[in-house]
Amino acid sequence: MANEQLSPLDLAFWHAESPDHPLHLAALAVLAPVGGVGAREVADLLAGRAAAVSRMRMRVRDVWMPPGGAAWVPDDHFEVRRHVYLHRDSPELLSELMERPLRRGRPPWEIHVIEGPTDDAPFSVLLKIHHALADGLRAVSLGAVLFDESPSLTRLTAPRPARKGGEAAAIPVQDLRRLAGAVRSRVGAAVGEAGQALGIGASLARASLGARTVPALAAPSSGSRQLATAVLELDAIHRIRKTAGGTVNDVLIAMVAGMLRRWMSERGEDVTGVVPRALVPVARRRSDGRRAAGNQLSGYLAELPVSEPDPMARLCAVRKVMDRNKEAGPGRGAGAVALLTDYMLPMASRLGAPLAGHAVRLLFDILVTSVPVPDLGFTVGGCPLLEVYPLAPLARGQSLAVAMTTYRGRVHLGLVGDGQAAPDLGRLAEAAHAELAEMRAAVA
């Protein structure tokens, strides 16, 4: 990764950040102390392991060429204790840590180990990683190297062997026919890419014209954050899926729509005709099968049927829109807006990313993302991982982001809200249990 240039998307993430809109991902892990190993010992252990990971010793530095570009370079003054901290628990600690931007002159990550109320009580670890360094899937892989090794974990995190001679196979100069074929292929690909960019841009423009503001989900950022979590049984989700059809993700997205309906109704807000749009990120793979540097993300736009009172009708509506998205693929439609960065020069990303951040609210109202976590029974220093909650960043002008993951037969929801716009975020988390119960009753 040394001197590797930031991809266009990562460069956009890096420059779209502001003090009130930090763009870091996070994961909150809850561990149980074992045999005298607790928060303090785990903090020391994580510091040693993180310091040994070369990727976690890299910082972002501007480069001359290409103009406006940036690269990952070794931090010559790296000190792991500037990244790993031990805290005593307090009511507002997690919210304060999430709203605090990462230091931009250092490798963009932090680990905060939070002691439990007693030595034998569970304790927490908050891992913060800038979105330019990793998306959800890469963050999982990066975080996995900090856990105790196991055969399954070794297979998960082992780097792929590089092809001899680099990523692309060399074309013999003397073989003019192959060279000409390669040129024709590349020209054709460029034409196709330009067409794809125009198609995404047109879809984006159409989606923006139809934008409707949902007051509960749109608010000027206060710079403060509220966090809330919920845990649901995965078996219950599977029972609903098997009866009503669709995927686990469809059920979860429909559940989020029901949660929002309950939350907004309890606030006294009219939900008639309220259909907020959710951005559902999806991983993007190269069509040629090669492993690309940087984040590879696209997304689907899904209308959340908040105004629909019937939970099964909500699930049916979500299934239809997600099926349409999947049929079109992650490279088409307004939800694929992240792909437009591939066609931008670095200087355009540097200048345009802050402006694009202001336009996000025209495209979607809420981020709803699922982060895959391997069901391996992770431990750190022998301390078992009991719970893990993904936490997503808030887009400019939005008051709520929902992230979900499954681990050890349970669904963990991590909610991040603006501190002023969503001070009652805990009520939204409580609505998850009521909504799941209603969905189970509807299919019973």
Side-chain angles (χ1 to χ4, degrees), residues 1-322:
M1 188 177 178
N3 299 316
E4 172 191 300
Q5 290 199 5
L6 271 71
S7 71
L9 180 57
D10 295 343
L11 196 63
F13 283 139
W14 188 249
H15 291 302
E17 183 177 62
S18 71
D20 285 344
H21 301 89
L23 289 181
H24 52 256
L25 313 171
L28 177 63
V30 179
L31 299 105
V34 172
V37 178
R40 293 180 178 274
E41 292 75 17
V42 164
D44 292 337
L45 184 61
L46 291 175
R49 290 178 178 175
V53 179
S54 59
R55 189 170 188 178
M56 301 183 80
R57 302 173 67 95
M58 300 290 174
R59 67 178 183 89
V60 176
R61 187 182 71 186
D62 292 342
V63 296
W64 288 102
M65 295 298 294
W72 294 105
V73 299
D75 183 359
D76 294 334
H77 304 287
F78 177 79
E79 172 52 59
V80 73
R81 286 302 178 182
R82 294 179 175 178
H83 297 266
V84 180
Y85 304 90
L86 180 67
H87 305 268
R88 291 186 180 276
D89 194 12
S90 65
E92 301 299 325
L93 177 61
L94 285 173
S95 298
E96 293 172 358
L97 293 175
M98 275 300 293
E99 67 193 38
R100 186 185 306 166
L102 294 165
R103 299 282 185 89
R104 294 177 70 85
R106 301 174 181 172
W109 63 271
E110 291 176 353
I111 294 175
H112 299 271
V113 182
I114 304 167
E115 294 179 317
T118 61
D119 290 342
D120 58 351
F123 60 96
S124 304
V125 176
L126 180 70
L127 171 62
K128 294 169 55 176
I129 300 178
H130 198 283
H131 213 326
L133 177 61
D135 57 19
L137 186 58
R138 285 178 174 239
V140 170
S141 297
L142 189 60
V145 302
L146 303 177
F147 288 92
D148 298 336
E149 289 189 16
S150 69
S152 298
L153 184 56
T154 301
R155 288 194 298 271
L156 171 73
T157 59
R160 298 181 182 179
R163 290 178 57 177
K164 187 175 181 179
E167 287 280 19
I171 300 177
V173 177
Q174 66 272 21
D175 192 340
L176 297 180
R177 286 176 298 179
R178 286 184 63 191
L179 180 59
V183 171
R184 286 195 300 270
S185 176
R186 184 63 201 129
V187 170
V191 172
E193 289 171 356
Q196 183 185 40
L198 290 173
I200 296 171
S203 298
L204 178 60
R206 289 192 297 269
S208 299
L209 289 174
R212 298 187 302 272
T213 300
V214 179
L217 303 177
S221 177
S222 66
S224 61
R225 295 291 180 266
Q226 281 288 330
L227 306 183
T229 61
V231 182
L232 306 171
E233 294 300 324
L234 183 58
D235 282 348
I237 306 293
H238 278 303
R239 285 195 291 271
I240 296 169
R241 176 190 62 80
K242 290 177 181 178
T243 303
T247 67
V248 167
N249 206 42
D250 292 341
V251 176
L252 291 174
I253 293 173
M255 185 185 69
V256 170
M259 291 166 55
L260 291 173
R261 177 182 175 84
R262 291 174 181 274
W263 183 54
M264 294 170 64
S265 296
E266 289 177 0
R267 286 175 149 205
E269 298 181 22
D270 185 7
V271 297
T272 304
V274 173
V275 188
R277 285 185 294 194
L279 177 65
V280 183
V282 294
R284 178 168 60 101
R285 298 289 178 262
R286 292 180 62 110
S287 59
D288 57 11
R290 289 187 291 155
R291 187 180 184 183
N295 293 322
Q296 297 294 307
L297 286 175
S298 181
Y300 296 141
L301 286 184
E303 292 186 336
L304 301 182
V306 170
S307 60
E308 172 58 57
D310 183 354
M312 289 301 100
R314 287 197 294 268
L315 176 54
C316 182
V318 167
R319 285 183 57 194
K320 287 181 179 179
V321 71
M322 290 301 291

Side-chain angles (χ1 to χ4, degrees), residues 12 16 337 341 344 348-349 351-363 396:
V337 61
T341 59
M344 297 173 62
S349 289
L351 298 177
L355 298 176
H358 288 281
V360 163
R361 71 178 69 184
L362 298 178
L363 181 61
R396 188 184 299 271

